[in-house]
Amino acid sequence: MSRDLATRPASAADISEAEAFLAAHPEITAFDLVLIDLNGIARGKIIRRHELLPIFRSGRHLPGSILGLDVTGEDVEETGLVWSDGDADRRAWPVAGSLVPLPWTSPPRGEVRLALYELDGTPMNADPRHALARQVGLLEADGFHPVLAYELEFYLLDRERTPDGNFQPLRLPLTGERPDGIQVYGVSELDRLEPFIDAVYRGAEAQGLPVETMISEYAQGQFELTLRHGSALRAADDLAMLKRLIRALAVRHGMMACFMAKPFAGRAGSGMHVHASLGDAAGENLFADHGEALSPLLRHAVAGLLETMEESMLVFAPHFNSWRRFSAQSYAPTTPTWGTNNRSVAVRIPAGSPAGRHLEQRAAGIDSNPYLVGATVLAGMRKGILAKADPGPETTAYAEGSGDALPPDWRGAIETASRSIFLREALGERLHHVFLALKRAEYRRFANEVTALERTFYGEIV
């Protein structure tokens, strides 16, 4: 037996999971191996059926540089994961409970998600899933069991662009017409999208995804899906899988699923709101109201999120386009405020059962990485709880930014994140370095581009 085989991580999926799946699905002949990188992009390989059991038994080598790729899939040497590391292999192991069929494929394939480890079996600390697992472990050591749920906002678009290259809303499958006007909470739009919605619900059931409500959101072709709450790691896994499911099904229905934060200048942006609470060992909600008052623990957690929001914004808004989502009266928070039953604030306490009380972090865009968002949210909550911090008075009306409460733009967020001791501790030293290297490289790409708008404004004028 090689040295590597003796270093199986305790958290890796057991081979019995693969054996049972293969027995139940003789029709599946290939599997997608999926690792989620720091930009939230699915990377990996497709393997044949006979290769699955060896991966569950011994793992699979993958280059560590897979976590040092920018959004275009190019290496970023500054991450330290490419040539300065010898483009060294690590070992990927299956995530327990992640082996599922892919309901959109023909011939049928399956999928298993991976986490990356060093060859000695320790977590590869540039893997975003491990960052979330670490924050979960810290809270559990304090006696708290985090529960998360994500909301997913997205656009369904026509695959054909306008003559000038812009996106355009989808044609509704049952009528062939494009949605007219905003029609927020419109039921007719959902009814005319029925073939796609049915495929999403059936696909989610096949993959064990706890998908619940679908809503027509605040723009033509914009929709929202909610996921039922669960353990923090599983909730992030579910969000990553659901994005993949929606994108694949949209292609097969002649549409494009768009997870940009702001695909249209004059329409609503798309968020990834995070609902969070803490339970005890028996599963009781520790954020439940105390009589007529909010739980002190909940207030401390809110205070921690507000205190760390400025330093966390690069995680919540990681791309150039992300920053177009933040504007006045846009349902995207522009200042670190909190309130009860108020959608203009950064941290909202939704109306609902006092026993089910929880908070909602509203800053993250749907283009952000759910593992990094989850890790940062939990770290902020924990910081406030340990300090017994007070969030101050709640905001009861629309909360407009003060001008300097948050970074003004993407570059400001990168510089704020680079100086942040909180973010370095929340993500871990190495992941913090790799994430910043990727964002700086991405920023340079945009800074070096001369746009059509610049040529129009300045070409024959200045």
Side-chain angles (χ1 to χ4, degrees):
M1 183 169 65
S2 74
R3 185 174 67 86
D4 292 345
L5 296 183
T7 57
R8 176 189 183 87
S11 57
D14 191 82
I15 193 171
S16 61
E17 181 180 335
E19 292 171 335
F21 186 91
L22 291 174
H25 295 278
E27 76 285 1
I28 293 181
T29 60
F31 293 85
D32 293 12
L33 304 182
V34 176
L35 179 76
I36 304 299
D37 75 5
L38 272 74
N39 286 304
I41 298 171
R43 311 264 181 202
K45 303 179 178 183
I46 297 180
I47 62 167
R48 300 301 302 276
R49 180 182 176 95
H50 70 270
E51 297 179 89
L52 184 68
L53 287 181
I55 291 172
F56 272 74
R57 186 179 295 117
S58 306
R60 181 76 171 244
H61 282 131
L62 283 178
S65 58
I66 199 171
L67 295 175
L69 301 175
D70 66 13
V71 292
T72 72
E74 288 193 26
D75 290 327
V76 175
E77 172 62 24
E78 293 88 344
T79 62
L81 297 176
V82 194
W83 302 119
S84 60
D85 192 42
D87 199 17
D89 275 340
R90 270 72 176 188
R91 192 175 285 277
W93 290 88
V95 172
S98 70
L99 182 54
V100 294
L102 293 181
W104 62 80
T105 56
S106 180
R109 298 201 313 271
E111 173 186 283
V112 62
R113 273 165 292 130
L114 305 173
L116 207 58
Y117 294 80
E118 302 292 350
L119 298 183
D120 65 1
T122 58
M124 199 288 190
N125 51 20
D127 186 329
R129 196 174 191 276
H130 293 319
L132 177 54
R134 179 174 170 271
Q135 291 303 324
V136 170
L138 289 172
L139 281 165
E140 287 180 344
D142 295 332
F144 305 124
H145 296 266
V147 175
L148 299 181
Y150 293 85
E151 293 176 2
L152 180 145
E153 295 176 348
F154 61 100
Y155 277 84
L156 289 174
L157 305 174
D158 197 319
R159 295 203 65 80
E160 183 177 342
R161 299 197 185 189
T162 63
D164 58 0
N166 288 328
F167 295 138
Q168 54 184 343
L170 78 160
R171 293 188 182 275
L172 294 167
L174 294 185
T175 63
E177 62 189 355
R178 301 189 196 281
D180 184 25
I182 292 176
Q183 298 300 344
V184 64
Y185 289 96
V187 178
S188 294
E189 284 67 29
L190 295 178
D191 181 58
R192 294 167 189 176
L193 195 62
E194 188 271 335
F196 174 76
I197 295 175
D198 179 62
V200 169
Y201 281 134
R202 285 189 289 108
E205 183 176 0
Q207 293 196 311
L209 297 176
V211 173
E212 296 196 324
T213 307
M214 188 159 185
I215 302 167
S216 177
E217 264 291 347
Y218 208 75
Q220 294 167 273
Q222 188 188 37
F223 301 91
E224 177 187 278
L225 273 169
T226 61
L227 285 156
R228 190 166 58 250
H229 62 271
S231 68
L233 274 170
R234 180 57 194 261
D237 288 339
D238 288 344
L239 192 281
M241 286 182 68
L242 182 57
K243 287 180 71 172
R244 185 162 145 77
L245 175 70
I246 289 172
R247 181 174 279 124
L249 290 175
V251 168
R252 286 156 177 82
H253 283 77
M255 301 178 287
M256 182 183 87
C258 181
F259 299 105
M260 286 176 64
K262 187 79 168 178
F264 297 99
R267 301 178 192 170
S270 294
M272 186 177 74
H273 304 154
V274 185
H275 296 254
S277 62
L278 297 176
D280 61 16
E284 294 297 319
N285 181 18
L286 297 175
F287 281 179
D289 290 359
H290 284 204
E292 298 296 318
L294 294 176
S295 158
L297 192 71
L298 172 58
R299 291 177 57 86
H300 299 331
V302 170
L305 290 177
L306 299 182
E307 180 185 340
T308 59
M309 186 174 169
E310 178 183 8
E311 298 168 81
S312 304
M313 284 304 296
L314 187 62
V315 169
F316 300 151
H319 306 293
F320 174 77
N321 177 259
S322 307
W323 290 82
R324 299 192 183 279
R325 178 171 157 259
F326 300 99
S327 59
Q329 301 181 10
S330 65
Y331 292 102
T334 55
T335 190
T337 52
W338 77 282
T340 303
N341 199 18
N342 180 354
R343 283 185 170 85
S344 75
V345 295
V347 182
R348 170 180 174 245
I349 311 301
S353 164
R357 191 72 66 211
H358 63 277
L359 62 82
E360 177 190 19
Q361 219 290 359
R362 297 176 56 82
I366 196 55
D367 58 342
S368 53
N369 182 310
Y371 301 103
L372 299 185
V373 170
T376 305
V377 166
L378 294 185
M381 290 167 53
R382 183 170 182 264
K383 181 173 183 177
I385 289 169
L386 293 179
K388 292 183 167 45
D390 189 299
E394 68 174 294
T395 298
T396 57
Y398 171 70
E400 188 167 359
S402 63
D404 59 358
L406 297 177
D409 52 27
W410 190 27
R411 180 176 178 177
I414 292 172
E415 294 311 310
T416 299
S418 72
R419 298 189 299 267
S420 172
I421 296 173
F422 163 76
L423 196 62
R424 186 177 295 113
E425 293 175 347
L427 302 182
E429 185 79 33
R430 189 171 200 181
L431 194 150
H432 181 261
H433 168 79
V434 172
F435 184 59
L436 280 167
L438 292 174
K439 295 300 104 182
R440 285 174 172 141
E442 189 177 341
Y443 176 83
R444 287 195 298 270
R445 277 181 176 253
F446 279 90
N448 291 335
E449 179 69 22
V450 178
T451 66
L453 186 61
E454 290 173 86
R455 287 188 284 269
T456 299
F457 270 36
Y458 309 129
E460 294 187 85
I461 303 299
V462 296

